[in-house]
Amino acid sequence: MNRLKHAASPYLLQHRDNPVDWWEWSDDAFAQARVCDRPVLLSVGYAACHWCHVMAHESFENPAIAAVMNELFVNIKVDREERPDIDHVYMSALHTLGEQGGWPLTMFLDSQGAPFWGGTYFPPTSRYGRPGFVDVLRQISGLYRSDRERIGRNASAIGEALQQSLQRVPEVGEPDLEHLASQIARRFDRDHGGLGGAPKFPNPGLVELLWRHGARSGDEASRESANRTLVQMARGGIHDHLGGGFARYAVDERWLVPHFEKMLYDNAQLLPLYALEATRAGDVLLREAADGIVAWLNRDMLLPEGAFAASLDADSEGVEGKFYVWTLPELTEILGADDAVLFARHYDVTAGGNWEGHTILNRLDTPDPLPEVGANLAELRVRLLEARSERIPPGLDDKILADWNGLMISGLARAAGILGRRDWLDLASRAFRFVSESMVDGDGLAHSFRAGRLIAPGFALDHAAMAEAALALHDATGDRHYFDLARRWSVHLDRYYREADSGLLRMTRADSAALPVIPRPTHDDAVPNANGLHAANLLRIAAQTGLPEDRERADRFLAVILAAAAHAPMAHGSVLNAYDLARNGVEVVLAGPNRGTFRQAALALPHLTTMLVDCTEPDGLPAGHPAHAYARQAGEGAAFVCLHGRCLPPVTEPNRLAEALASAR
């Protein structure tokens, strides 16, 4: 065993038996590099990463290659999910070299941590047009020994580029949401949904933006782009038609062939979108997709602590996708000939298969069943799922991440209200309790928990995502405890993560261990950016308190982050969605002792465009709040729809609330 045997990360533990003398990221590792006068080889990956496994099997488990690594380098292994700050900085460094990036990330650093060269996957010997890993190791080491000046120039150039990326962009006017939504809708694939080309990712932030615009304006192009994306994903192979949930992305433009890893964060963001669109469109397929996400969550991702695991691997038994694919003879053996024929007709199962001789179940080109046939197919899916459960499953990364759990808690709470699923709300509440009580770090939160060990301090996204989760649970329950936690974590972000010069949130605390630069990205990655979530949280907090100073605080922060979004709108869905909430959000005020009777009706409204305000007593709103004049008219219970500083008369029947909201626009 090497030093990774004491790691908390399942990804690092996958490498504990490598003959490579791995270090975890630490001051001691860099001190060793200085003592030995060797460069550092930094390898970054994650537990569900297929190509990370490939490079591990080919190189890190090879004693001869490991010997070269040990002789020439100090080798550091990092889990990008455990340390997203390290991953962000060194992936950005790779981009400055003109490389597209991806995982595994392989970077070469000097003994101070400054990057001077890198790449991603390297085969053990030259192939695929890529140099062999051993050749790369010897060349880099030789250069480090013989031409330190050149190494220094490379490191300085990359460092300057990283610093330049932190420069503030020129301020511009407020974005034109209608124009941006139209531009984005035109970029979406008219036939298959999603951004055109391959590989194809879900991009939930952009789908949300289009959904908002379509719902607000009635724009058919935006509405159709959002709907087509969700429908085609649900029909495609990226969707697990037996077990529920969605894979990370599709390698083709039709959503047929997934990269089979399943991540908590993708499904967290997709769940409320499927609930919203299923309700708007009345589409059974979309409702089944939402139900399937939660079924997968309950069956495969729920941990004894009550919170959710991070991911499921792409591979099982060392083969990508083996757990999920089928052959026609397998179906016939399990279902019998007649049922196998029926199932094959509706899920694209053929003798030759649709992927490497096997079949990825999908409904992209197959007929929609009649209701009675649909019921039969549902029974067949259950039988196949039971048979699949006997296979060796993909590996589970069972660390609990505060940010990803926060996203899923929020998604569950919102979808529960839209679809009337109290059990989903209970699931969200249990997960929230664990993170908020067992992952505490001072006034804030830790980032990761596994096997009794916390990785702290947390990152900006941990606090922003958990504040969003708290606000969603406050809306769903009216429990003030949730709202108080949302405010506490938002204040914590401003105190410890906000950069004085730019006004933006850093990814890490100001007092965190130094990296070559302190990252403060504003763009979304696979997860929404902390700045966008924080802006939306501040707006919802201001709506609840009704205090002008809270709204001014939210508006000031939003103004800071809009400049970055305006220069690269496609990368800033979360920021634009926060701006849409600020400009077009409608407040729904629940008042009176029996206001709870209106809560379910309010929760069924589109949460993307509404902000729920819980008024506990007639004088519970500040004097300046537009609903204040109506609050005493609430009687035993009423709801008020407020927009742009004005409120409609009280709604006294819960089933009239949606009608009142429509008239407010």
Side-chain angles (χ1 to χ4, degrees), residues 257-592:
V257 181
H259 189 41
F260 289 90
E261 63 198 44
K262 283 187 183 179
M263 315 301 291
L264 185 66
Y265 56 76
D266 290 312
N267 289 280
Q269 296 170 85
L270 289 172
L271 173 58
L273 291 174
Y274 273 104
L276 282 167
E277 186 62 5
T279 301
R280 187 199 70 80
D283 193 325
V284 173
L285 173 72
L286 302 182
R287 173 62 189 259
E288 289 176 348
D291 290 341
I293 289 173
V294 184
W296 164 73
L297 194 68
N298 262 313
R299 184 187 63 252
D300 294 340
M301 305 299 283
L302 183 61
L303 298 173
E305 293 88 349
F308 307 116
S311 66
L312 278 174
D313 206 326
D315 298 5
S316 55
E317 301 182 75
V319 179
E320 184 180 12
K322 183 175 182 178
F323 183 73
Y324 298 101
V325 297
W326 297 88
T327 63
L328 187 56
E330 286 176 327
L331 293 186
T332 303
E333 181 180 353
I334 295 166
L335 301 178
D338 292 342
D339 283 339
V341 169
L342 174 67
F343 190 87
R345 182 185 310 129
H346 288 278
Y347 286 93
D348 189 30
V349 184
T350 61
N354 55 29
W355 181 68
E356 298 183 358
H358 292 77
T359 291
I360 299 168
L361 302 181
N362 74 93
R363 292 175 53 188
L364 287 169
D365 299 310
T366 58
D368 289 328
L370 296 171
E372 59 271 20
V373 177
N376 191 6
L377 288 171
E379 294 177 3
L380 299 182
R381 289 198 302 271
V382 170
R383 289 168 60 186
L384 288 175
L385 181 62
E386 290 175 352
R388 195 178 78 177
S389 69
E390 300 298 319
R391 297 176 176 177
I392 297 174
L396 177 72
D397 185 330
D398 61 353
K399 64 178 178 287
I400 296 170
L401 299 175
D403 50 355
W404 297 5
N405 270 264
L407 294 173
M408 181 55 84
I409 293 163
S410 175
L412 280 168
R414 298 300 187 191
I418 297 165
L419 298 178
R421 293 295 301 263
R422 176 72 201 193
D423 54 328
W424 295 4
L425 184 59
D426 293 340
L427 194 62
S429 300
R430 289 196 300 273
F432 184 91
R433 185 179 307 116
F434 177 81
V435 177
S436 63
E437 294 178 359
S438 299
M439 295 181 65
V440 175
D441 179 49
D443 291 334
L445 294 165
H447 172 60
S448 177
F449 174 94
R450 185 179 181 276
R453 291 179 57 185
L454 288 174
I455 304 297
F459 298 97
L461 186 59
D462 294 308
H463 297 85
M466 281 298 294
E468 180 189 49
L471 291 169
L473 287 170
H474 177 253
D475 285 351
T477 65
D479 187 337
R480 181 75 185 191
H481 168 69
Y482 292 122
F483 183 75
D484 291 341
L485 284 175
R487 293 200 77 176
R488 179 198 300 175
W489 292 327
S490 296
V491 169
H492 187 82
L493 277 173
D494 281 338
R495 180 177 300 160
Y496 294 106
Y497 293 81
R498 196 162 178 186
E499 188 176 65
D501 292 343
S502 69
L504 297 169
L505 297 180
R506 298 181 179 97
M507 183 181 286
T508 62
R509 281 177 60 126
D511 56 357
S512 295
L515 289 167
V517 295
I518 298 178
R520 52 167 173 74
T522 59
H523 62 273
D524 297 336
D525 288 312
V527 292
N529 185 268
N531 285 278
L533 287 190
H534 185 50
N537 292 340
L538 293 178
L539 290 165
R540 292 186 183 276
I541 288 170
Q544 176 61 41
T545 67
L547 297 173
E549 55 266 36
D550 282 344
R551 181 58 193 241
E552 290 168 7
R553 176 175 165 233
D555 288 341
R556 284 196 305 271
F557 182 70
L558 188 58
V560 168
I561 62 176
L562 277 175
H567 287 278
M570 297 288 289
H572 288 82
S574 64
V575 174
L576 294 175
N577 288 328
Y579 177 61
D580 179 74
L581 184 67
R583 200 181 80 169
N584 301 301
V586 178
E587 293 182 20
V588 178
V589 181
L590 307 183

Side-chain angles (χ1 to χ4, degrees), residues 130-341:
R130 303 185 68 84
F133 190 44
V134 173
D135 294 337
V136 169
L137 295 176
R138 295 194 185 282
Q139 290 170 9
I140 292 293
S141 175
L143 190 63
Y144 194 82
R145 290 194 308 271
S146 64
D147 197 347
R148 197 67 59 91
E149 183 179 345
R150 181 179 174 187
I151 293 293
R153 287 198 303 269
N154 277 19
S156 295
I158 292 172
E160 289 172 8
L162 290 175
Q163 291 293 342
Q164 187 66 30
S165 70
L166 298 179
Q167 298 300 312
R168 294 190 64 180
V169 296
E171 292 190 9
V172 296
E174 293 187 354
D176 183 339
L177 284 176
E178 282 65 33
H179 176 66
L180 287 174
S182 296
Q183 281 188 319
I184 293 170
R186 285 196 295 271
R187 293 280 300 275
F188 269 54
D189 187 328
R190 290 188 178 184
D191 296 321
H192 310 298
L195 290 174
K200 187 166 280 187
F201 291 82
N203 286 306
L206 295 182
V207 175
E208 177 182 327
L209 188 149
L210 293 175
W211 198 97
R212 287 172 176 272
H213 184 246
R216 181 180 67 253
S217 67
D219 179 71
E220 194 58 34
S222 294
R223 182 176 288 168
E224 173 61 20
S225 294
N227 176 270
R228 177 60 59 92
T229 300
L230 294 171
V231 167
Q232 292 303 108
M233 283 180 59
R235 299 185 77 92
I238 191 174
H239 181 204
D240 182 352
H241 290 266
L242 300 183
F246 289 80
R248 176 70 195 96
Y249 64 89
V251 303
D252 63 295
E253 65 178 7
R254 299 179 65 237
W255 307 108
L256 172 62
V257 181
H259 189 41
F260 289 90
E261 63 198 44
K262 283 187 183 179
M263 315 301 291
L264 185 66
Y265 56 76
D266 290 312
N267 289 280
Q269 296 170 85
L270 289 172
L271 173 58
L273 291 174
Y274 273 104
L276 282 167
E277 186 62 5
T279 301
R280 187 199 70 80
D283 193 325
V284 173
L285 173 72
L286 302 182
R287 173 62 189 259
E288 289 176 348
D291 290 341
I293 289 173
V294 184
W296 164 73
L297 194 68
N298 262 313
R299 184 187 63 252
D300 294 340
M301 305 299 283
L302 183 61
L303 298 173
E305 293 88 349
F308 307 116
S311 66
L312 278 174
D313 206 326
D315 298 5
S316 55
E317 301 182 75
V319 179
E320 184 180 12
K322 183 175 182 178
F323 183 73
Y324 298 101
V325 297
W326 297 88
T327 63
L328 187 56
E330 286 176 327
L331 293 186
T332 303
E333 181 180 353
I334 295 166
L335 301 178
D338 292 342
D339 283 339
V341 169

Side-chain angles (χ1 to χ4, degrees), residues 615-629:
C615 182
T616 56
E617 52 190 56
D619 294 324
L621 292 172
H625 196 286
H628 187 272

